[in-house]
Amino acid sequence: MKAYAIANTDFVVSRIDDRLYGAFLEHLGRAIYEGIYEPDHPSADADGMRGDVAKLVRDLNCPVVRYPGGNFVSAYNWEDGVGPRENRPVRLDLAWHTAESNAVGIHEFADWCASVGTEMMLAVNLGSRGVDEARNFLEYCNHPGGTYWSDLRIKNGRAEPWNVKMWCLGNEMDGPWQVGHKDADEYGRLAANTARAMRMFDSSLELIVCGSSHSDMPTFPDWERIVLEHTYDHVDYVSLHMYFRNPESDTANYLALSEKLDRYIETVASTIRQVKHKKRSKRDVRICFDEWNVWYHSMQQDRAIREGQHGWPHAPALLEDIYNFEDVLMVGLVINTFIRRSDVVRIACIAQLVNVIAPIMTEKGGPAWAQTIYYPYYFASVYGRGVALQMPVRSPSYESKHAAETPYVDIAGVHDEDAGTLTFFIVNRNPDETIDTTIDLQGFTGREITDHQVMTHPDLRAVNTADKPTEVAPRKGAGALIGANGLSLSLPPYSYQMVRIAV
Ligand code: AHR
């Protein structure tokens, strides 16, 4: 089989916002406790934060981390997590049927973000609370001093405001599972009022309104239209979520889910355009895809805890998906889709970052390691900065549940003019065939391959564990060549590759 693609220096989609490679941390399971925070761990710093986890996060060059939820935020009192630890209350978390110690709150999270070199994206509680909580939290975080909330922050040890720019107006408010779930009109009005109040404090904030929890929601896509009709002039992004599942081990249809993702993005993009025209607005609202990942491996295992059969444990193991090699391909395909749609998807957050449906796993008192999906996320985050290229691809295809023609070869290309690099992220969905691929490099001069990484594995179900942390890991690629026709390389069956070229 053969495939052919074109990369032309003049044909670009958009400059990629670095925040396309963000992540998410929620007070859920062992994400915070035993994930980033474990004061007794041998690698812990003076604040109790695990040094081994911080290193893995730092290596990802993660630009932004969303916090503190998720479903958790919809009944969260941020005030519980500030002030002396011994005075912080233990609360029930209704979303995950657990107890929350509040040992970590906004101060600890902010310090951790600074230590790993990432920016905070905070969510306000529009489930059990509303405008008042949002304005107070904002004042606590961003006002320099001389007021009740800002002086409390100073008293609690932080003199300078954090100046948090990105704020989510609630979480998944379309979901009946959400504490304080609302219909689209009710939520749209509350979100607009909250946004107005927050902008009275600082008109330059970047505000994110809840879109759909997934594209199979019965309210999708009317939810986006109605919510945006209320909020269009007051927000910057609409938030989307999508999780990818393969419970039937149906690889062909699983790997075609990125086609469904692409249609989801396109539908919301057209809804945004519709509301923009209806309002005769000059502003652009874009997409913040602030929860995405593979999530299905752990669903059965968590049921007893989520149904409350174990009472209200603190930080139990929940949603601990162990990712396999097949998931590397899926995550690579999702990120490629975001790169190709980077004109409208400006921010995205892999959900989540540590232990809970996460690229990084930890053992209490033991090691931290990279799950299989760490690698495609790492390559994109570290090397996928610059301008996304429009890349026509001619590839053999197959019919799937999600598209009549799902191409076997999926490519995203990124040109970083400042660094003088051209980077391709390539997935072969074909189970049996190597596909000889040529990428015609039009307008790029002085071309030399500087890095080539390949991920393949004879077993789609292979995983990384504490004992075998590199069972699924990238290795140096071989055989890629640049000739008169451009870049030629072979794509083994079920493979992920990253190729970097100095241009
Ligand atoms: O990321 C896990 C959960 O998935 C989040 O709490 C929620 O927003 C979504 O349903």
Side-chain angles (χ1 to χ4, degrees), residues 31-180:
I32 302 292
Y33 308 107
E34 293 178 27
I36 63 167
Y37 175 74
E38 193 181 329
D40 297 332
H41 192 270
S43 75
D45 65 12
D47 297 328
M49 297 296 181
R50 284 183 67 141
D52 53 356
V53 173
K55 174 170 186 327
L56 283 163
V57 175
R58 234 175 265 126
D59 289 349
L60 285 169
N61 195 14
C62 184
V64 57
V65 179
R66 178 173 176 250
Y67 173 87
N71 297 341
F72 171 79
V73 81
S74 294
Y76 178 54
N77 302 334
W78 64 268
E79 304 90 326
D80 292 344
V82 305
R85 258 201 191 109
E86 60 278 15
N87 298 341
R88 298 186 192 176
V90 175
R91 300 269 190 199
L92 294 183
D93 166 25
L94 302 175
W96 303 104
H97 216 277
T98 54
E100 170 56 51
S101 68
N102 284 302
V104 171
I106 181 65
H107 287 260
E108 293 78 16
F109 179 68
D111 288 347
W112 180 81
C113 285
S115 80
V116 298
T118 197
E119 206 180 330
M120 292 193 269
M121 178 199 287
L122 296 179
V124 297
N125 172 356
L126 293 192
S128 66
R129 306 180 89 184
V131 182
D132 221 29
E133 180 259 354
R135 76 184 174 99
N136 294 345
F137 192 22
L138 176 60
E139 184 181 319
Y140 187 90
C141 292
N142 286 8
H143 194 60
T147 65
Y148 177 80
W149 291 112
S150 56
D151 285 348
L152 185 60
R153 182 198 68 238
I154 295 166
K155 186 174 157 220
N156 287 334
R158 170 76 192 191
E160 295 302 315
W162 288 299
N163 288 322
V164 180
K165 282 285 164 215
M166 285 166 277
W167 293 84
C168 303
L169 304 170
N171 174 72
E172 290 191 351
M173 298 308 300
D174 61 331
W177 58 85
Q178 204 68 219
V179 172

Side-chain angles (χ1 to χ4, degrees), residues 150-463:
S150 56
D151 285 348
L152 185 60
R153 182 198 68 238
I154 295 166
K155 186 174 157 220
N156 287 334
R158 170 76 192 191
E160 295 302 315
W162 288 299
N163 288 322
V164 180
K165 282 285 164 215
M166 285 166 277
W167 293 84
C168 303
L169 304 170
N171 174 72
E172 290 191 351
M173 298 308 300
D174 61 331
W177 58 85
Q178 204 68 219
V179 172
H181 156 67
K182 294 167 178 55
D183 70 27
D185 279 305
E186 197 184 353
Y187 170 66
R189 273 191 293 272
L190 175 60
N193 283 330
T194 308
R196 270 191 216 104
M198 293 176 84
R199 286 221 197 280
M200 284 177 190
F201 173 79
D202 178 357
S203 60
S204 73
L205 297 177
E206 294 186 73
L207 300 179
I208 302 149
V209 74
C210 295
S212 291
S213 301
H214 55 79
S215 62
D216 293 327
M217 290 296 289
T219 46
F220 173 76
D222 287 339
W223 174 274
E224 276 76 2
R225 179 184 55 74
I226 297 167
V227 166
L228 284 174
E229 281 176 1
H230 287 285
T231 59
Y232 196 89
D233 290 326
H234 312 294
V235 300
D236 303 285
Y237 303 92
V238 57
S239 145
L240 296 183
H241 295 175
M242 185 166 176
Y243 289 99
F244 304 87
R245 308 174 39 144
N246 186 21
E248 316 288 342
S249 299
D250 176 355
T251 307
N253 283 314
Y254 176 51
L255 297 182
L257 280 169
S258 56
E259 303 279 305
K260 184 174 174 179
L261 168 66
D262 191 65
R263 278 201 306 279
Y264 186 22
I265 294 168
E266 179 47 37
T267 305
V268 175
S270 66
T271 304
I272 292 171
R273 288 195 294 272
Q274 185 201 350
V275 179
K276 176 178 176 175
H277 290 303
K278 188 169 171 185
K279 292 201 164 270
R280 313 290 188 261
S281 177
K282 292 201 174 79
R283 312 183 66 246
D284 281 314
V285 167
R286 298 209 165 84
I287 293 172
C288 171
F289 219 111
D290 51 30
E291 284 186 37
W292 69 269
N293 202 352
V294 173
W295 176 10
Y296 75 96
H297 298 283
S298 66
M299 281 185 167
Q300 206 54 30
Q301 152 211 334
D302 298 339
R303 190 146 293 161
I305 294 180
R306 282 189 279 126
E307 287 173 358
Q309 294 171 27
H310 293 303
W312 299 88
H314 180 254
L318 269 174
L319 280 60
E320 297 204 354
D321 275 43
I322 304 301
Y323 293 112
N324 59 33
F325 171 64
E326 186 183 59
D327 302 325
V328 170
L329 306 177
M330 189 67 237
V331 164
L333 290 162
V334 172
I335 298 176
N336 278 2
T337 307
F338 288 153
I339 292 172
R340 287 191 293 263
R341 302 311 308 250
S342 55
D343 53 331
V344 60
V345 182
R346 307 302 296 176
I347 308 175
C349 302
I350 191 169
Q352 298 189 7
L353 189 56
V354 188
N355 287 335
V356 171
I357 42 174
I360 298 170
M361 285 303 292
T362 71
E363 250 178 33
K364 184 176 161 62
W369 65 97
Q371 292 230 59
T372 62
I373 61 166
Y374 182 92
Y375 297 103
Y377 173 44
Y378 167 88
F379 287 129
S381 177
V382 174
Y383 301 118
R385 315 275 174 123
V387 161
L389 297 174
Q390 281 177 28
M391 288 197 57
V393 179
R394 192 169 64 217
S395 159
S397 61
Y398 64 101
E399 189 177 345
S400 73
K401 274 187 198 159
H402 309 294
E405 290 187 13
T406 302
Y408 284 121
V409 176
D410 186 284
I411 308 181
V414 179
H415 180 202
D416 184 340
E417 282 179 357
D418 298 335
T421 56
L422 178 60
T423 306
F424 298 112
F425 306 100
I426 311 170
V427 176
N428 180 5
R429 291 180 172 106
N430 192 293
D432 311 304
E433 303 262 350
T434 294
I435 304 184
D436 294 324
T437 301
T438 303
I439 305 180
D440 193 349
L441 305 176
Q442 300 179 351
F444 294 101
T445 53
R447 310 161 319 181
E448 186 194 339
I449 297 171
T450 55
D451 196 3
H452 181 194
Q453 300 287 331
V454 180
M455 293 186 75
T456 53
H457 202 284
D459 180 6
L460 280 177
R461 313 278 157 233
V463 300

